[in-house]
Amino acid sequence: YRRETSAFDGANQYIFKHALLADVTYNTLLLRERQNLHKKTAEWVIKTGGERETENAAIIADHFEKAETFSEAADWFGRAARQAADAYAHQTAILFYRKALDCHARSSEKDRQLNKIIKWREGLGAAFYSLADFPASISSYSKMAEAAENSDDKINQTRAFHLLSASQFEGSDVRASVESAQKSARRG
């Protein structure tokens, strides 16, 4: 059925009347064909979305993930996470940062994206911190520090240990907080 209005200017949008019909139709497609259609859909949303591509980041990421183009999916999940974090939707940001990291792990471009990993770990840590989940924040900032050390990025190492120290302090582990602060100072 054709929808009266479309989310995309100048495009027609159709929906299935029943979810069961949509599922049956989808499952009759060969996996390779489904993946190709998901990739084309993601590319179309990027092209057609114009200035709204950030709003559609989660949709684009989902299609790239289903297309098994994991590097692109990771990038778009990272954008969706940033958008959610900016809107103070911390639980959603956590979901998308985790999906970005998962897609990155499944990608063939693992080594080329260390800076993105550092940003995603930082965002994940910040989302947990905002929710006062200090153990999860500490875990994420620790992994951020590890990624920064692997990239020999002194600025991000300093930043990671500083953020780790703050999370440890809030989590009432003062000794670990002081140690992380000292690591941050030595790198800065």
Side-chain angles (χ1 to χ4, degrees), residues 69-116:
T69 50
F70 296 115
S71 181
E72 290 89 345
D75 287 342
W76 284 98
F77 277 126
R79 290 183 191 194
R82 182 75 252 154
Q83 179 187 17
D86 289 346
Y88 301 101
H90 302 299
Q91 293 288 357
T92 303
I94 289 166
L95 171 74
F96 289 145
Y97 279 124
R98 285 179 166 165
K99 287 185 82 69
L101 291 161
D102 178 59
C103 285
H104 167 75
R106 298 166 73 190
S107 165
S108 60
E109 299 181 20
K110 293 177 185 149
D111 295 335
R112 291 184 240 161
Q113 295 190 345
L114 266 178
N115 286 335
K116 290 178 183 178

